[in-house]
Amino acid sequence: MNDITMRLNADELIKLALREDISSEDVSTNAVMPEAKPGEVDLIAKQDGIICGMDVYERVFKLLDDNTVVEKYVKDGDSVNKGQLMAKVRGDIRVLLSGERVALNYLQRMSGIATYTNEVSKLLSGSKTVLLDTRKTTPNMRIFEKYAVKCGGGQNHRYNLSDGVLLKDNHIGAAGSITKAIEMAKAYAPFVRKIEIETETLEQVKEAADAGADIIMLDNMDVATMKEAVRIIDGRAKTECSGNVTKENIKNIIDSGVDYVSSGALTHSAPILDISMKNLHAI
């Protein structure tokens, strides 16, 4: 995550997280450390995985005290092993203690998503199918979680509702039909935005392709139905498989020939990666 993105988009979210944890003061730290004292602490991986969020982790401490130094031995996207020393953090012990939980929350969550995404992405290796995330993200965590998906080897679907047109069942119901919804979207949306439409049956797939959709989402279809949908579309639109896609069932989708597979599980179901700050001492 580059400095511009961090300062313009991430800093305020990180500050909100810090204010949530330190509403008035850190009573525990202030009780045992009433004055500033320099110290150092180790950042250690407690299980194997893909690391993500090192710059965000560092930023937590920098926002509390810009003099904090984080000596990093790994970068985002690197594989780490259980017991590996990933960084040393030096600064005011009060800052190290007060920022610890928020910094680890970001790093553990982002690394967990990157690790899970990497595991799923490997299952698609050798196929043409591209792995995508969704907007099923934790409120106020989207910028971090979607970045973690990229670190893990996946790609981002829409970041937000302004990014592109995705007409789902309720949009179609509001418009009156698939054809009408696509016609209205083409008339309204700027030409730079692709139009994607959700389908649940082969009849809807044919209507969407005939109406000129750019991307056709095949929602909760079995593999045999998806294969037939790809045949009907015949290259007239890109195809995306969606609906209850997890690490356990994604390999079955490869045979369908779809271009993309989107999985909300990448962000809403990934377990955290266990990471710890240990060996705090004065220097």
Side-chain angles (χ1 to χ4, degrees):
M1 191 174 293
N2 66 37
D3 287 343
I4 296 173
T5 300
M6 189 76 74
R7 292 179 186 279
L8 290 181
N9 299 301
D11 273 7
E12 285 306 311
L13 296 172
I14 296 170
K15 288 177 183 177
L16 285 173
L18 285 167
R19 291 187 190 113
E20 179 182 58
D21 214 30
I22 314 171
S23 59
S24 59
E25 66 168 321
D26 177 354
V27 180
S28 304
T29 295
N30 290 346
V32 301
M33 190 61 56
E35 297 180 356
K37 180 181 290 187
E40 180 181 83
V41 67
D42 296 334
L43 180 68
I44 299 171
K46 298 185 71 176
Q47 66 183 109
D48 299 348
I50 304 297
I51 202 68
C52 179
M54 289 298 293
D55 291 342
V56 178
Y57 171 85
E58 177 181 17
R59 193 70 179 147
V60 170
F61 297 108
K62 289 282 194 180
L63 286 172
L64 291 172
D65 182 356
D66 196 47
N67 293 315
T68 308
V69 175
V70 180
E71 185 178 346
K72 292 175 279 190
Y73 308 132
V74 297
K75 63 181 184 303
D76 289 353
D78 284 352
S79 297
V80 296
N81 300 313
K82 181 179 179 180
Q84 183 173 341
L85 177 63
M86 300 191 299
K88 285 184 176 290
V89 188
R90 301 183 187 92
D92 183 350
I93 289 179
R94 298 173 303 175
V95 169
L96 305 185
L97 289 169
S98 295
E100 175 182 6
R101 184 68 269 156
V102 171
L104 284 176
N105 281 350
Y106 280 118
L107 189 60
Q108 289 177 320
R109 178 72 179 140
M110 294 171 72
S111 296
I113 290 171
T115 299
Y116 185 84
T117 301
N118 186 257
E119 292 170 355
V120 177
S121 181
K122 285 179 178 177
L123 297 175
L124 295 174
S125 178
S127 75
K128 73 164 190 173
T129 306
V130 175
L131 179 64
L132 303 173
D133 58 18
T134 70
R135 287 189 300 114
K136 294 177 181 177
T137 53
T138 310
N140 290 327
M141 280 289 290
R142 184 170 294 172
I143 188 172
F144 308 109
E145 293 180 352
K146 279 186 168 283
Y147 171 71
V149 167
K150 292 174 70 176
C151 284
Q155 293 189 20
N156 296 152
H157 203 294
R158 293 185 302 169
Y159 181 79
N160 58 36
L161 293 173
S162 300
D163 276 352
V165 178
L166 175 47
L167 305 169
K168 306 193 94 173
D169 54 351
N170 286 330
H171 298 100
I172 294 166
S177 70
I178 284 176
T179 300
K180 185 63 175 176
I182 293 174
E183 287 176 351
M184 294 171 74
K186 285 186 173 184
Y188 178 82
F191 75 95
V192 293
R193 289 191 173 95
K194 294 181 183 288
I195 296 173
E196 180 172 5
I197 193 153
E198 179 184 80
T199 60
E200 298 176 345
T201 67
L202 293 177
E203 290 75 18
Q204 290 179 337
V205 167
K206 184 178 186 305
E207 183 181 357
D210 290 344
D214 297 302
I215 307 166
I216 298 176
M217 179 188 291
L218 311 176
D219 188 46
N220 283 299
M221 294 183 183
D222 58 43
V223 174
T225 305
M226 283 193 288
K227 282 184 177 180
E228 180 60 16
V230 171
R231 187 195 67 78
I232 291 170
I233 295 167
D234 193 27
R236 290 181 289 170
K238 292 291 186 180
T239 53
E240 176 190 337
C241 164
S242 183
N244 195 33
V245 177
T246 65
K247 183 171 64 175
E248 289 70 29
N249 64 19
I250 198 168
K251 285 194 75 171
N252 299 328
I253 295 165
I254 297 175
D255 291 338
S256 67
V258 294
D259 298 299
Y260 302 98
V261 55
S262 57
S263 174
L266 299 182
T267 51
H268 69 58
S269 294
I272 67 164
L273 190 71
D274 197 2
I275 300 167
S276 184
M277 291 173 66
K278 293 285 188 181
N279 309 317
L280 175 64
H281 60 276
I283 54 175

